[in-house]
Amino acid sequence: MKIIFVQTLFLFLFVKVLLRDWRVLSIWDISYAVVSSLVSGWIFSVIGQYAALPLLGLVVLFTWWHTHSFSESLFVSLQVIIWSIVVDHISSLLTYMLKLDDGYLLIFMGLQLVGLITLNLILMNTHIQTTFNRPRLNRVTALLLLAIYLYIIVSEGLDSELRMVVSNLVVLLVVMGLAIAIYDEDRVTIRAKYQVQQQRLQIKNDTRYMHEIETHYNELRRFRHDYQNIMLSINEYLKTDDLAGLQQYYQQNIAPVTKRVSDEQYNLEDLSRVQVKSVKSILFSKLSYAQSQGVKVQFDLKQVLNGVTTNELDLAIALGIILDNAIEATAGHYHGELMSAIFVTAHSTVFLVQNNVFDSLPPLWQLKEAGYSTKGQERGLGLSQLSAIVNRNENMILETRLLASAFVQRLTVKRE
């Protein structure tokens, strides 16, 4: 009973570490872990090794509570449980080899503590992800691990001799090696695709940037031509001292143009203070596009931004996702507003984007799930991709708030 209790408690500790959430142990977490450990011990006394199946369900439920994704929770739970089986087998072998009949629990706890500390140090100092970015790969891997887990339970139930323990350990080590190889291959593939995506995005942004510059240059030429015609017309009225005609001309021709220019509110002058080309390109292209869609746009930057302390392409992609979502939410609405700003301080650079909300939105955690979208299926990759970008950049922090009538996203880039 004591061994089952300790083994189960370590399962929940490893789950918290894999989720990078070990610093926050709520009362609910502790209570759930303790109750689950007691329940597992009781079930084991009734049905023996097959108690591992309901234990898996308890761990999956605990993980799902934190991730809200069944495939990820099953994948993480099976990683933790299979690791626990590996440590259990190694502890049994060491107990047998050292002839320590009562030393199993002490050896098991020591190995688990070393593994817990090592795993935590690795996750704290690297960008290694405990699940794949693709849900389909998570599901396939979880099913593979589940099949192996069921095999271990059944085989140990048929024969509990030492040779069975050794054979299971060999199988587990081989499978772990294959899993590491698959993970490494997937990581290389994702990195190559990510680099290609970055290059395409850069080309797309540069092309849109040049197109917007050309559009504004043509608008400037038309304005200059119209200005010259207006001044010639005014000059003719003044030469003939026709003030009544001038007043009528002003009301019919000049006043409407003045109102139109005032209503358009091209509040993008502060973009001249952005000296980072990749950031300036994405901001200019997205905000100009928003204006062309009838969205009221505001941009503020009081200090010169001459550099960022993070990967520029990652930052450009993140800002593009944030602005695309804001434009999609406001375009087509008569009172659509998009407010953006950059705040430069001694310790960080803050990018703030706020848009008004016209439709009711689900909880924030659901919006961040890969595949979920308020616009239909297979369109919800933006926020999940944004979270992945932020997670792989240690000096990036993303804060998302859903207010009564506004959706606010604050992206902070800390200075090194």
Side-chain angles (χ1 to χ4, degrees):
M1 181 70 176
K2 183 189 300 183
I3 294 175
I4 301 299
F5 182 84
V6 172
Q7 289 176 337
T8 307
L9 281 181
F10 271 107
L11 293 179
F12 293 102
L13 289 175
F14 268 96
V15 167
K16 294 289 286 186
V17 170
L18 284 178
L19 296 179
R20 287 184 166 90
D21 196 26
W22 66 273
R23 292 185 179 90
V24 182
L25 281 173
S26 65
I27 297 177
W28 186 91
D29 291 334
I30 298 173
S31 302
Y32 188 94
V34 172
V35 172
S36 297
S37 301
L38 295 173
V39 170
S40 298
W42 176 78
I43 296 177
F44 183 82
S45 65
V46 176
I47 61 176
Q49 74 274 3
Y50 295 105
L53 294 176
L55 175 60
L56 173 62
L58 291 172
V59 178
V60 170
L61 181 61
F62 177 82
T63 311
W64 177 85
W65 179 266
H66 292 278
T67 64
H68 299 285
S69 172
F70 179 76
S71 60
E72 289 185 12
S73 60
L74 182 60
F75 187 20
V76 170
S77 300
L78 286 167
Q79 290 181 68
V80 169
I81 290 181
I82 290 180
W83 166 254
S84 180
I85 295 175
V86 171
V87 175
D88 171 71
H89 287 11
I90 293 175
S91 301
S92 298
L93 286 175
L94 290 176
T95 302
Y96 175 80
M97 294 171 61
L98 299 175
K99 301 185 184 305
L100 299 174
D101 296 335
D102 298 325
Y104 169 84
L105 184 59
L106 185 62
I107 294 174
F108 178 84
M109 291 178 62
L111 292 176
Q112 285 288 60
L113 286 173
V114 171
L116 202 63
I117 295 172
T118 303
L119 178 62
N120 183 57
L121 290 175
I122 292 174
L123 293 179
M124 285 179 59
N125 295 283
T126 65
H127 298 295
I128 294 176
Q129 299 296 319
T130 55
T131 59
F132 299 106
N133 290 326
R134 290 179 289 178
R136 182 177 178 275
L137 190 56
N138 285 329
R139 290 192 293 269
V140 171
T141 309
L143 291 174
L144 175 63
L145 293 178
L146 181 60
I148 296 169
Y149 182 56
L150 294 175
Y151 160 76
I152 294 171
I153 295 173
V154 174
S155 62
E156 288 192 351
L158 296 176
D159 189 356
S160 59
E161 294 182 0
L162 182 61
R163 63 183 182 85
M164 181 60 68
V165 175
V166 174
S167 66
N168 284 343
L169 179 59
V170 171
V171 171
L172 285 171
L173 292 176
V174 171
V175 171
M176 289 175 63
L178 290 174
I180 292 173
I182 293 172
Y183 178 86
D184 186 69
E185 181 66 25
D186 180 73
R187 181 181 58 82
V188 172
T189 303
I190 290 177
R191 177 180 293 180
K193 290 182 178 179
Y194 174 66
Q195 291 175 347
V196 173
Q197 182 185 15
Q198 287 180 323
Q199 294 173 357
R200 289 177 178 175
L201 180 65
Q202 188 67 36
I203 294 173
K204 180 180 178 181
N205 288 337
D206 290 343
T207 302
R208 182 180 292 179
Y209 182 58
M210 295 303 298
H211 174 72
E212 294 294 338
I213 290 177
E214 182 181 358
T215 300
H216 283 274
Y217 176 72
N218 291 331
E219 290 180 356
L220 182 61
R221 289 183 60 189
R222 287 195 297 270
F223 179 79
R224 180 181 178 183
H225 182 265
D226 293 341
Y227 175 78
Q228 290 176 337
N229 290 335
I230 290 172
M231 294 307 296
L232 288 173
S233 302
I234 293 175
N235 187 50
E236 290 299 322
Y237 282 106
L238 293 176
K239 282 182 179 180
T240 58
D241 199 23
D242 187 2
L243 295 180
L246 177 59
Q247 184 177 11
Q248 182 180 4
Y249 176 78
Y250 175 83
Q251 295 296 333
Q252 293 179 351
N253 298 280
I254 299 179
V257 175
T258 303
K259 185 177 184 303
R260 177 175 60 83
V261 173
S262 177
D263 290 341
E264 286 177 348
Q265 294 186 3
Y266 284 86
N267 296 325
L268 302 182
E269 295 85 357
D270 287 355
L271 279 175
S272 61
R273 297 190 179 98
V274 181
Q275 301 300 317
V276 183
K277 292 183 179 179
S278 58
V279 175
K280 187 173 187 176
S281 173
I282 196 71
L283 289 173
F284 184 84
S285 62
K286 298 295 183 182
L287 296 178
S288 297
Y289 175 74
Q291 286 183 331
S292 69
Q293 298 299 306
V295 179
K296 182 181 178 182
V297 175
Q298 292 183 358
F299 176 78
D300 292 312
L301 174 59
K302 302 308 179 185
Q303 296 176 259
V304 175
L305 178 64
N306 50 24
V308 290
T309 55
T310 191
N311 185 288
E312 287 189 23
L313 286 176
D314 272 352
L315 180 59
I317 294 172
L319 290 175
I321 293 172
I322 293 173
L323 290 169
D324 280 340
N325 289 334
I327 293 170
E328 186 176 19
T330 53
H333 296 278
Y334 180 72
H335 296 292
E337 293 185 13
L338 192 162
M339 291 174 284
S340 57
I342 301 177
F343 303 98
V344 181
T345 68
H347 304 289
S348 64
T349 302
V350 179
F351 299 86
L352 186 67
V353 177
Q354 175 178 320
N355 62 273
N356 46 2
V357 177
F358 297 93
D359 302 315
S360 59
L361 295 178
L364 292 177
W365 65 262
Q366 190 173 3
L367 288 173
K368 295 179 182 180
E369 283 191 333
Y372 180 84
S373 173
T374 58
K375 302 296 183 180
Q377 295 182 350
E378 303 301 329
R379 295 186 61 187
L381 298 178
L383 288 181
S384 63
Q385 183 184 7
L386 177 59
S387 297
I389 292 172
V390 173
N391 289 337
R392 67 170 172 253
N393 289 274
E394 294 182 350
N395 59 340
M396 275 192 187
I397 300 174
L398 177 65
E399 301 173 72
T400 304
R401 294 184 181 181
L402 180 58
L403 306 179
S405 59
F407 189 79
V408 183
Q409 291 200 279
R410 177 189 177 103
L411 182 64
T412 302
V413 179
K414 297 185 294 184
R415 297 186 184 275
E416 297 178 353

